Amino acid sequence: MTPPTSPPTTSPDASAVEAVADASEHRVRALVEIRALLKQFVEGDVPLALTTPDGLNYATSLWAEDPQRGVLVFAADPRDEVVQRLTESHEVMATGYLDSVKVQFDLHDLVLVHGRSASAFNAQYPREVFRFQRRHAFRVRPVGRTQPHALLSHPDLARRQIDLRIVDISHTGVALMLNEELDLFRCGQMLPDAVIELDAATRLHVTLRVMHVSNVGLEPSQYRRIGCELVDLSAGAHRDLQRYLDHTQKRHRLLTL
């Protein structure tokens, strides 16, 4: 949706009230609801990103949730420098996606524990989580002869751009296809200066945030699906993306007649 050209002025006090109301709308405090969300992360091995205000990012998964003991258990590699730095941080947030729902919660008393065969993060069981429904995340798959793609620069590949085919795209995110055996992408990773070319008239400059990485299909046609959030799209880029999505949806409908 195109931002208004003249946004209404709002006093600081009113803005604070709106922010509190918005947080209250998405806050989940009932234990049965919190556990239902966390169990989906455990049973589905859904990736989570642990982040801090100073820019730390660590991709992990939730191994166990135990409300009786009041503990969460996350996968952790003690050889990773970020793991130790996370335990020293006073503010750590966990973020993950369950289909179209974004789930966030703060981690308290994060500690690294060592077992006989593995290490793990332990943290207090959350008393509240935030659940955000991505209402405008309808995705479309490209149609026609054109092959929309994204050009990325990765810090681990100096002087080389990666050209990835676009599987689908929405107002808020894009799914990319990686056919090469490159283990480069991690949840929470920021990829600045990406270029998304959808058609001859639609070229978007954007920062991407990696939200999940998964394998799709079977050998020899298996590929990695890189799910990314679109970050800091300009107003003009939003309009161009909206036009492309509308046009592609119309073509889909015509093809099904």
Side-chain angles (χ1 to χ4, degrees), residues 22 25-26 97 99-102 131-139 170-172:
D22 183 65
E25 176 188 354
H26 301 289
Y97 287 83
D99 295 325
S100 62
V101 177
K102 179 180 180 180
R131 176 177 56 198
F132 303 94
Q133 184 73 34
R134 300 171 73 190
R135 297 181 180 88
H136 305 295
F138 179 76
R139 291 182 176 269
S170 75
H171 297 87
T172 57

Side-chain angles (χ1 to χ4, degrees), residues 5 13 73 76 83 143 223 235:
T5 53
D13 289 344
V73 182
V83 167
V143 295
Y223 67 90

Side-chain angles (χ1 to χ4, degrees), residues 46 79 135 147 163 196 209 214 227 229:
V46 180
R79 297 169 297 181
R135 297 181 180 88
Q147 289 291 337
D163 191 341
I196 294 178
R209 178 186 287 115
S214 58
E229 180 182 2

Side-chain angles (χ1 to χ4, degrees), residues 18 27 31 42 60 64 72 75 91 93 106 125 127-128 138 154-155 162 166 174 182 190 195 212 218 244 249:
E18 290 174 2
R27 182 182 285 117
L31 177 58
V42 175
T60 184
L72 298 179
E91 294 183 48
M93 175 176 286
D106 291 327
Y125 205 92
R127 295 183 177 180
E128 64 180 21
F138 179 76
H154 195 282
I162 310 174
I166 292 175
V174 62
L182 297 175
M190 302 295 289
V195 178
H212 61 82
L218 301 173
Y244 173 82
Q249 290 177 47

Side-chain angles (χ1 to χ4, degrees), residues 20-257:
V20 170
D22 183 65
S24 177
E25 176 188 354
H26 301 289
R27 182 182 285 117
V28 177
R29 283 182 169 169
L31 177 58
V32 64
E33 293 185 63
I34 292 175
R35 190 170 193 196
L37 291 170
L38 296 178
K39 285 181 70 175
Q40 292 183 64
F41 283 101
V42 175
E43 295 172 357
D45 195 26
V46 180
L48 284 155
L50 306 187
T51 59
T52 65
D54 58 353
L56 292 179
N57 274 286
Y58 186 71
T60 184
S61 58
L62 185 60
W63 279 354
E65 52 83 33
D66 189 341
Q68 293 185 335
R69 292 176 52 219
V71 66
L72 298 179
V73 182
F74 298 88
D77 183 353
R79 297 169 297 181
D80 193 321
E81 179 186 352
V82 176
V83 167
Q84 184 59 45
R85 292 174 63 189
L86 280 171
T87 63
E88 299 169 356
S89 178
H90 298 293
E91 294 183 48
V92 181
M93 175 176 286
T95 304
Y97 287 83
L98 299 170
D99 295 325
S100 62
V101 177
K102 179 180 180 180
V103 178
Q104 285 186 324
F105 52 94
D106 291 327
L107 296 181
H108 298 287
D109 295 337
L110 187 70
V111 295
L112 182 64
V113 297
H114 304 281
R116 292 182 178 179
S117 59
S119 298
F121 279 133
N122 279 10
Q124 281 188 11
Y125 205 92
R127 295 183 177 180
E128 64 180 21
V129 304
F130 291 89
R131 176 177 56 198
F132 303 94
Q133 184 73 34
R134 300 171 73 190
R135 297 181 180 88
H136 305 295
F138 179 76
R139 291 182 176 269
V140 300
R141 291 180 179 273
V143 295
R145 296 181 179 179
T146 59
Q147 289 291 337
H149 62 111
L151 293 170
L152 311 177
S153 297
H154 195 282
D156 293 346
L157 295 176
R159 303 194 186 112
R160 178 189 168 187
Q161 279 193 319
I162 310 174
D163 191 341
L164 301 180
R165 178 181 171 184
I166 292 175
V167 180
D168 59 43
I169 189 168
S170 75
H171 297 87
T172 57
V174 62
L176 306 174
M177 176 187 293
L178 175 63
N179 287 317
E180 297 182 68
E181 289 294 327
L182 297 175
D183 188 18
L184 298 174
F185 299 96
R186 299 286 184 273
C187 291
Q189 189 175 46
M190 302 295 289
L191 302 172
D193 304 320
V195 178
I196 294 178
E197 295 185 350
L198 298 173
D199 57 28
T202 313
R203 181 183 173 97
L204 311 176
H205 295 265
V206 65
T207 295
L208 300 178
R209 178 186 287 115
V210 179
M211 302 312 301
H212 61 82
V213 180
S214 58
N215 291 324
V216 178
L218 301 173
E219 296 289 356
S221 59
Q222 187 180 75
Y223 67 90
R224 287 188 181 182
R225 180 186 176 102
I226 317 297
C228 299
E229 180 182 2
L230 303 177
V231 180
D232 297 333
L233 273 179
S234 67
H238 271 295
R239 287 192 295 270
D240 291 342
L241 179 56
Q242 179 65 63
R243 177 192 56 78
Y244 173 82
L245 294 174
D246 290 343
H247 178 68
T248 305
Q249 290 177 47
K250 290 177 183 177
R251 294 189 66 186
H252 273 293
R253 286 195 291 268
L254 290 173
L255 291 173
T256 57
L257 293 177

